[in-house]
């Protein structure tokens, strides 16, 4: 058995805040192992079966220590039993595996076991200071003079008696609350505290093998607010694809908070997961492959869109239309990219003018920076009577009747020009695109 | 560029200042992908931190003329002429159209599409 005990920073507080933090910590811990329990204001977890999954004992210890530090955990202690791990954590020692368990425990002060608490004055008068002293007392006498819980706790800590735990379960919905240390007046400063909640959320998502596409950060204004400020505010963050990358969440939240104005100082944060989806993870490969550093393109685009507005990050999309103006459109990049449509066999220019440019004509020939040399054509594009644009009375069909030509100009390069066929006898030539 | 998430990055920056270009260049060095800036030809006389600077212009006979302003190593004199047919046009080019400069040169003497009234030429082609 390989137990870890996680002790929070402020052990004395038995109020609701402390309870919330313990609950959050337990939820976060469930990503490492299903055997997590809350015992005596600390979280204990059994990770024997998870050692290999997370790359061995040392790697797991290192990860646990660095990640739990962000959640406000003061110390992570390891031992073969949960009570022993807790005892080591309270005594400020990390590694209960350094020597034989009984030797290590014997040296600890007896306060580290919660069961000692009620009998502490009596035991102190008996001359007991350490667990070793307590263990040397005659068992029969201890059992008669003190209660059964003391002997049980002692035996369980030393591994002589099996422990019974009430295991934590993964909550169906995620909601975490955090009371801020001080009143926060600027929205970007909320990110630091929100990161702790995000970490819990990622733990919850990991234990459910899920990712999220939408989560909400709510903040409550403190009681000294002005009446107009209202009770608080909230911010919903959406991502294009389900993910549980902490860094990505933090970056997105940072971008959004950077644009948010707090109406009053905030005193409390709540984080909710609005929508979760199952997430398939890539398994680690045997061979070291070229690990991508930094964000993926999708994450980058989402972050840029959060900064400059979703309408300003667009991607081109082909649509089924033979009229060049409507054969493509620009969509916000957050939309799913549709499957590509078949290409048109006609020559298509690299650059398209926003509006066709009317060309001068001399002797039935269009001019653009000199006489044009026709190379290929005509390619006829016709139709569009079904496509109506405009409102009410000014409605007009976007019908086109054009003969396209590929023309060469000595100065301007290869051009795409067309002749409007509805112009009657007046030949109307337009420049529509330029070949790159 | 900083996130190193793209395979290539093209940017049109007609008014970039030299110090901005220097910052971009520092970022581009850390990026694995290709980074290309397009600037107006008037910018050729301004200093730039880019390691490779080229001027491209078009050539009549389906080619691109490339002039190297700056590169690593000794300066390159002269112009490179790289064959280039715009995408999609390859299929409609006949052998005669492969050398348009010849077409233009003898346009005055005889020409198939241009010299006669083009409107009639079009009609004939469409009705035939």
């Amino acid at each position: 058995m390989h137990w870890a005990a996680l002790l929070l920073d402020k052990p004395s507080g038995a109020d609701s805040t402390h309870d919330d933090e313990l609950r959050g910590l337990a939820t976060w811990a469930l990503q490492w192992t299903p055997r997590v329990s809350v015992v005596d204001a600390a979280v204990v977890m059994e990770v024997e079966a998870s050692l290999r999954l997370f790359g061995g004992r040392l790697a797991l210890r290192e990860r646990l220590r660095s990640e739990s530090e962000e959640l406000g955990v003061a110390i992570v202690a390891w031992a073969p039993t949960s009570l022993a791990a807790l005892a080591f954590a309270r005594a400020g020692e990390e590694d209960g595996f350094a020597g034989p368990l009984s030797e290590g425990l014997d040296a600890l002060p007896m306060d580290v076991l919660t069961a000692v608490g009620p009998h502490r004055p009596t035991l102190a008068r008996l001359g007991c200071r350490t667990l070793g002293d307590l263990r040397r007392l005659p068992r029969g006498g201890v059992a008669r003079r003190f209660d059964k819980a003391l002997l049980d706790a002692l035996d369980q800590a030393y591994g002589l008696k099996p422990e019974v735990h009430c295991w934590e379960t993964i909550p169906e919905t995620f909601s975490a609350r955090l009371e801020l240390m001080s009143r926060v007046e600027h929205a970007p400063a909320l990110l630091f505290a929100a990161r702790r909640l995000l970490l819990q959320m990622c733990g919850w998502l990991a234990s459910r093998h899920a990712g999220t596409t939408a989560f909400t950060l709510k903040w409550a204004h403190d009681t000294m607010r002005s009446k107009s400020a209202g009770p608080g505010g909230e911010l919903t963050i959406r991502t294009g694809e389900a993910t549980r990358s902490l860094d990505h969440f933090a970056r997105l939240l940072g971008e959004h908070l950077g644009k948010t104005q707090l109406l009053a100082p905030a005193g409390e944060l709540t984080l909710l997961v609005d929508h979760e989806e199952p997430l398939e993870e890539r398994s680690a490969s045997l061979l070291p492959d070229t690990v991508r550093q930094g964000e993926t393109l999708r994450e980058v685009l989402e972050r840029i869109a959060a900064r400059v507005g979703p309408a300003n990050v667009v991607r081109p999309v082909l649509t089924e239309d033979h009229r060049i103006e409507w054969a493509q459109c620009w969509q916000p990049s957050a939309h799913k990219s549709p499957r590509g449509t078949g290409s048109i066999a006609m020559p298509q220019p690299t650059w398209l003018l926003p509006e066709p440019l009317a060309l001068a004509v001399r002797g039935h020939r269009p001019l653009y920076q000199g006489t044009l040399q026709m190379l290929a054509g005509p390619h006829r594009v016709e139709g569009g009577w079904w496509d109506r644009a405009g409102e009410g009375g000014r409605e007009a069909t976007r019908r086109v009747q054009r003969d396209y030509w590929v023309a060469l100009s000595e100065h301007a390069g290869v051009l795409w020009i067309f002749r409007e066929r509805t112009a009657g006898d007046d030949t109307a030539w337009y420049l529509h695109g330029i070949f790159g | 560029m900083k996130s190193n998430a793209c395979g290539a990055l093209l940017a049109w920056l007609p008014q970039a200042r030299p110090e901005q270009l220097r910052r971009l260049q520092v970022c581009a060095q850390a990026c694995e992908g290709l980074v290309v800036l397009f600037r107006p030809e008037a910018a050729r006389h301004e200093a730039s931190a880019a390691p490779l600077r080229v001027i491209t212009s078009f050539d009549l006979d389906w080619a691109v003329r490339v002039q190297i302003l700056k590169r690593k190593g000794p300066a390159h004199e002269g112009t490179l002429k790289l064959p280039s047919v715009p995408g999609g046009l390859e299929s409609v080019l006949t052998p005669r159209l492969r050398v348009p400069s010849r077409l233009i040169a003898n346009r005055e003497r005889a020409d198939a599409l241009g010299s006669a009234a083009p409107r009639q030429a079009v009609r004939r082609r469409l009705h035939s």
Side-chain angles (χ1 to χ4, degrees), chain A residues 292-298 300 303 345-348 350-351 363-366 371-380 403 405-406 408-414 419 421 424-425 427 429 435-436, chain B residues 1-7 12 32 58-62 64 84-89 91-94 96-97 100-101 103-105 107 111-119 121-123 125-126:
Chain A
R292 288 195 59 84
Q293 297 293 318
E295 308 160 89
T296 62
L297 184 60
R298 183 178 50 75
V300 175
R303 194 160 55 85
M346 242 169 62
Q348 303 267 298
T350 322
W351 311 100
H364 298 302
R365 297 175 64 147
T371 317
L372 297 181
Q373 171 71 47
M374 301 292 186
L375 292 184
H379 304 111
R380 177 159 294 183
D403 284 333
W405 294 77
V406 177
L408 180 68
S409 155
E410 285 167 68
H411 306 287
V414 188
R419 198 172 64 101
R421 289 178 56 236
D425 277 342
T427 25
W429 287 94
F435 286 91
Chain B
M1 275 195 273
K2 273 186 184 164
S3 65
N4 197 8
C6 53
W12 280 259
E32 284 172 23
F58 91 101
D59 189 277
L60 275 183
D61 292 335
W62 306 113
V64 172
S84 155
V85 177
L89 273 189
S91 57
V92 298
L93 288 186
T94 56
R96 196 174 58 95
L97 293 177
S101 57
L103 282 181
I104 291 178
R107 183 161 52 194
D111 191 81
L113 287 172
S115 62
R119 200 149 50 100
V122 170
R123 278 218 186 111
R125 278 176 147 244
L126 292 181

Side-chain angles (χ1 to χ4, degrees), chain A residues 246-395:
Chain A
L246 174 67
D247 292 332
H248 184 48
F249 288 150
R251 273 190 294 253
L252 273 183
L253 195 59
E255 294 287 351
H256 281 282
L257 283 175
K259 291 191 292 186
T260 308
Q261 183 89 38
L262 286 188
L263 295 173
E268 196 184 291
L269 285 181
T270 312
L271 189 70
L272 302 168
V273 172
D274 296 329
H275 192 246
E276 61 154 329
E277 280 177 21
L279 185 69
E280 204 169 297
E281 283 175 283
R282 273 184 310 164
S283 51
S285 81
L286 174 67
L287 301 169
D289 52 357
T290 49
V291 179
R292 288 195 59 84
Q293 297 293 318
E295 308 160 89
T296 62
L297 184 60
R298 183 178 50 75
E299 290 174 340
V300 175
L301 291 182
E302 258 170 27
R303 194 160 55 85
I304 296 176
R307 189 178 298 176
V308 301
N312 294 327
V313 182
V314 291
R315 75 159 102 224
V317 176
L318 286 181
T319 48
E320 290 279 5
D321 203 316
H322 53 277
R323 298 162 302 160
I324 189 87
E325 286 102 324
W326 298 283
Q328 61 202 326
C329 63
W330 293 86
Q331 272 188 356
S333 68
H335 290 216
K336 291 258 189 314
S337 61
R339 256 170 294 156
T341 55
S343 61
I344 302 169
M346 242 169 62
Q348 303 267 298
T350 322
W351 311 100
L352 194 69
L353 299 189
E355 290 283 325
L357 176 73
L359 296 180
V361 178
R362 188 171 61 203
H364 298 302
R365 297 175 64 147
L367 299 178
Y368 184 75
Q369 299 185 11
T371 317
L372 297 181
Q373 171 71 47
M374 301 292 186
L375 292 184
H379 304 111
R380 177 159 294 183
V381 171
E382 194 173 282
W385 53 265
W386 56 86
D387 188 8
R388 290 178 171 274
E391 299 271 313
R394 286 178 295 150
E395 200 171 90

Side-chain angles (χ1 to χ4, degrees), chain A residues 187-206:
Chain A
L190 287 177
L191 181 63
F192 179 75
R195 195 178 157 82
R196 187 186 273 206
L197 292 175
L198 285 176
L199 194 63
Q200 286 183 17
M201 182 176 85
C202 289
W204 179 76
L205 288 171

